[in-house]
Amino acid sequence: MPRVLIVDDSPTEIFKISEILSKNGYEVLTAESGELGLDIAKTQMPDVVLMDIVMPGLNGFQATRQLSRDPDTSGIPVIIVTTKDQETDRLWGQRQGAKGYLTKPVDSKGLLKAIDAVLN
């Protein structure tokens, strides 16, 4: 069962995305901040990370960059899941190491397809 870490400061978003993933056979880990997300990624080694961008403290771009540049976590694909839908945001996310980019609100089909694409 693939493990997915959701990093988002919104309890509502965590709940919605967790529901989709749980119903489709994924084990779900959650973090309410970028800092906590980094800690959990390093200790739990999920198969994929779903990363929000706009968070207090360490934002999603910074956390994605740290995960992708750390030799211990660089093999974990990060998919950015955010309300930011500008092309510059997408490009900046890719430059930080993100393997995918989804805009909120996410639909279950698009989410599962994005996860499947980075895992296979």
Side-chain angles (χ1 to χ4, degrees):
M1 173 183 329
R3 297 185 336 152
V4 179
L5 170 59
I6 303 167
V7 183
D8 198 312
D9 62 330
S10 165
T12 304
E13 287 297 323
I14 286 177
F15 177 79
K16 284 194 239 175
I17 295 171
S18 294
E19 285 288 297
I20 294 168
L21 296 175
S22 296
K23 288 178 182 173
N24 286 279
Y26 291 92
E27 181 183 338
V28 178
L29 305 167
T30 63
E32 296 78 33
S33 71
E35 294 88 352
L36 186 57
L38 289 177
D39 289 343
I40 293 173
K42 289 176 184 178
T43 58
Q44 300 295 314
M45 298 302 289
D47 296 295
V48 64
V49 174
L50 301 179
M51 182 75 70
D52 185 26
I53 292 192
V54 182
M55 296 182 285
L58 192 70
N59 71 39
F61 287 137
Q62 294 165 323
T64 298
R65 182 171 53 245
Q66 288 186 33
L67 286 173
S68 67
R69 294 192 179 156
D70 183 326
D72 295 333
T73 56
S74 63
I76 303 171
V78 176
I79 299 172
I80 291 176
V81 182
T82 184
T83 55
K84 296 173 78 61
D85 65 352
Q86 299 294 311
E87 188 60 27
T88 53
D89 296 317
R90 290 178 184 275
L91 291 171
W92 189 244
Q94 287 177 341
R95 291 191 60 192
Q96 305 318 301
K99 303 295 183 212
Y101 196 102
L102 297 171
T103 53
K104 294 177 185 176
V106 295
D107 65 277
S108 56
K109 245 184 224 173
L111 178 64
L112 297 171
K113 184 177 176 183
I115 292 171
D116 190 53
V118 297
L119 290 178
N120 298 314

